[in-house]
Amino acid sequence: SNKPRKKKKKRKAKKNSAGETVEDKDLEDIDSLLERIEDPRLAPQSQGGISTDSRPLLYVEHRNLNPENELKRYFGARAVLGDQRPRQRQRQYVRSMWLTAPKNTWPRYSKTGITMQLLDTRRGVQHFTFEHHREYQQVQFKFLDAVESMDPNNIVLLLQMNPYHVDSLLQLSDVCRMQEDQEMARDLIERALYSLECAFHPVFSLTSGACRLDYRRPENRAFFLALFKHLMFLEKRGCPRTALEFCKLILSLDPEDDPLCVLLLIDFLSLRAREYTFLTRLFQEWESHRNLSQLPNFAFSVPLAYFFLSQQEERPELERGQARERAARLIQLALIMFPSVLMPLLDHCSVQPDARVASHPFFGLNAQISQSPALNQLTSLYVGRTHALWKDPAVMAWLEPHVHEVLRMVEAQDALVQEAEHKRKIRYQSAPRNIYRHIILSEMKEATAALPLEVTSQPVMGFDPLPPLDSIVSYTRPERTSHPSNESTLSLFFRSLLPNFNLQGDVRHDGDDEAGAAQDLNQGVNRLMAAMRDMLANIQFQEPPRDDNPEGDGDWD
């Protein structure tokens, strides 16, 4: 007698008065809620900048660290999620993370020997550092041995035993990327971020903008590099808003020194993500103490952001007029300060300047030849990275009258023109090390070609490019005084290309830090890789002669 009553109760709970299943209705409500949350018109940062201004400049939003949220805004929640909802109910439990979503294909995570410690708190800012325990240090030494072997398979073997060793993941990601395996390269970087996030200190906050990491400590560098490489993949994947949030995160970890010089990138990501208000606010708040206008990328990108703001019809006419005035004033100052940007920018945009501009010496070839190499690197980086944003015909129509106005000021010998020329001669004598590090990581061919010889001749490793000269060393790699006696002739030949080769079997190490132990051999590695590429490119395989036997079954005799 109880059985029919139970069925009736279940049926009543599952159906509503209209006959629609409650579960389907709940799913639709969730989708509509997601759409409302992801609607840019309803987002807090889009409401005239009112909500954004009340938060710290480098405040990081957790939801903007997830690229799926951005993709859902473009393509819809159902197109991105597909049939993932039913599968998630059956999926095994994984730890919820902010930086990346763990995948079922990854090895099972176990403690790696990395921890994070709180060093001190000064003026409301907390300083942290990663630490390597003894077992992780031993794996690090094996990793350096694998790097010295110049065989990526040795790194693969090391990862099979230690699947969450961060430097191995970073180095192997570079190898995969050079072999055009972008999916695997991105997956390895995400796994490195997952490993590091599992080691976070309980009070370490990604969002507050008040947590610091010192890049001078080798243990901290992997986190900076993994974040940078991840945001580059996100930008190429078409998620500039997510990449901008990661860029803000990197900058918040060390805003004063900016070891990866993400200030050269944050303007581009802001423009791509159409976060014009954030870019103009960054310029307004930091210009007084950071002189952002002395960087070509800010000098040109900020007026471009003001121009785009002036084109937004939903804004009040007063705001649009103010944005137009600021855009006009700042673009003229940018052209006066950095005249060498105009002609390469027009060339990249396939725009032919009029006769007056093309023949004027102020914007001509002399402007590029006369500037210092350091300034040439900055302008080449900006043009190579950002030129696509200037191809809009409306942008070019806005730029043209300001170019002619600058030429009028030049011919009138305006004081601003002479002052800018004086600044260019005094400043930009040499670029700091973080700019070189940024150019190497960005791999922009226009800027890489402008790097000085003292940088290109240095050894560069993907897991620690151009380490700081004032590193804070916590442990060193022990010296190895002997090599196996059964070393093959081919291995001996490869090792002979290294700058620290000694036929007696002794290898010299500086012992400054674990990365420094591998730096001596990098120049030889670079020469070897170049030689191997040339050799592989020239190898031609010829099939052995054979008799065609159409009636044969293909078996060996």
Side-chain angles (χ1 to χ4, degrees), residues 111-170:
K111 290 186 177 181
T112 60
I114 301 181
T115 58
M116 179 185 278
Q117 299 297 328
L118 174 62
L119 296 178
D120 59 8
T121 302
R122 299 191 300 268
R123 299 177 182 176
V125 176
Q126 297 173 314
H127 295 261
F128 295 86
T129 184
F130 285 99
E131 289 185 349
H132 294 172
H133 292 182
R134 185 172 183 82
E135 60 269 22
Y136 193 90
Q137 294 179 18
Q138 299 301 319
V139 179
Q140 187 75 10
F141 299 152
K142 293 179 182 178
F143 164 71
L144 295 175
D145 292 340
V147 171
E148 287 187 8
S149 70
M150 294 169 291
D151 186 356
N153 291 322
N154 291 336
I155 302 179
V156 174
L157 293 174
L158 181 65
L159 277 175
Q160 289 178 351
M161 300 297 295
N162 307 275
Y164 288 95
H165 180 253
V166 179
D167 282 353
S168 297
L169 293 168
L170 295 179

Side-chain angles (χ1 to χ4, degrees), residues 87-88 90-94 101-108 164 187:
R87 292 181 181 178
Q88 284 178 352
Q90 304 173 3
R91 193 175 68 176
Q92 61 180 356
Y93 171 77
V94 292
K103 300 178 181 177
N104 293 331
T105 56
W106 290 356
R108 184 178 181 86
Y164 288 95
D187 187 80

Side-chain angles (χ1 to χ4, degrees), residues 452-504:
L453 182 61
E454 60 266 20
V455 174
T456 55
S457 61
Q458 288 184 30
V460 176
M461 281 295 182
F463 67 94
D464 190 9
L466 295 184
L469 301 177
D470 55 348
S471 296
I472 301 176
V473 181
S474 58
Y475 67 94
T476 58
R477 182 186 180 192
E479 292 189 6
R480 296 180 303 139
T481 57
S482 62
H483 287 280
S485 57
N486 59 348
E487 190 172 18
S488 66
T489 305
L490 182 61
S491 175
L492 187 65
F493 164 70
F494 283 154
R495 194 163 58 82
S496 68
L497 298 176
L498 303 181
N500 58 350
F501 172 71
N502 186 346
L503 188 58
Q504 301 302 321

